[in-house]
Amino acid sequence: MQWIASSDFFKGSEEVRAVGGFGRVESSFHKDYNSDSSKIELRLYDGTLPELYENEANIARKCAKVFVEASDSEDYQNIEVFIIKTDENDPFRAIYQSQYLFEVASLTKGTTSSN
């Protein structure tokens, strides 16, 4: 089990979890070789950082940047970040969700463009 947790599949998850105090972090990687497009989806659940929902776009960007750098995913085109709040009684039922799309190149070059 320790080998799985230390594999490349989980790189970046703990770093992102720490940024917003997220209860769960899920990531998926998509590459379409026919159209030369690639995207990372990052789902962040139940953040506990007090200013998370007031400063959501900036925190989503920071999480995206931290994830791309920690997981060595600079070769992807986009990263889509979903911030999800679930029902305390039913953790599989989302009661709030927002999404942000960033160009990976803008995160790795230190520019400030988003969406």
Side-chain angles (χ1 to χ4, degrees):
M1 192 64 151
Q2 186 175 359
W3 173 80
I4 293 172
S6 65
S7 72
D8 288 347
F9 184 74
F10 294 100
K11 279 187 176 179
S13 295
E14 287 304 313
E15 292 86 344
V16 170
R17 186 187 311 263
V19 170
F22 296 101
R24 188 173 76 204
V25 174
E26 297 175 356
S27 59
S28 58
F29 299 81
H30 308 278
K31 282 196 177 191
D32 184 349
Y33 294 102
N34 293 328
S35 66
D36 241 4
S37 67
S38 58
K39 180 172 78 169
I40 301 167
E41 286 186 9
L42 187 59
R43 296 180 184 278
L44 312 173
Y45 293 88
D46 302 318
T48 58
L49 185 67
E51 65 268 16
L52 173 64
Y53 300 102
E54 297 166 8
N55 195 10
E56 196 175 76
N58 289 332
I59 292 171
R61 181 178 179 77
K62 183 176 182 180
C63 288
K65 182 175 176 52
V66 165
F67 185 82
V68 166
E69 290 173 350
S71 64
D72 298 322
S73 302
E74 290 90 359
D75 59 330
Y76 283 80
Q77 291 176 331
N78 296 303
I79 182 167
E80 191 167 19
V81 178
F82 297 87
I83 296 179
I84 303 164
K85 180 78 173 151
T86 62
D87 185 336
E88 290 179 12
N89 298 319
D90 182 2
F92 297 102
R93 183 174 158 251
I95 56 175
Y96 172 82
Q97 177 176 312
S98 60
Q99 102 189 54
Y100 300 89
L101 182 66
F102 303 100
E103 289 183 15
V104 171
S106 74
L107 301 171
T108 58
K109 293 179 183 173
T111 60
T112 58
S113 67
S114 67
N115 288 7

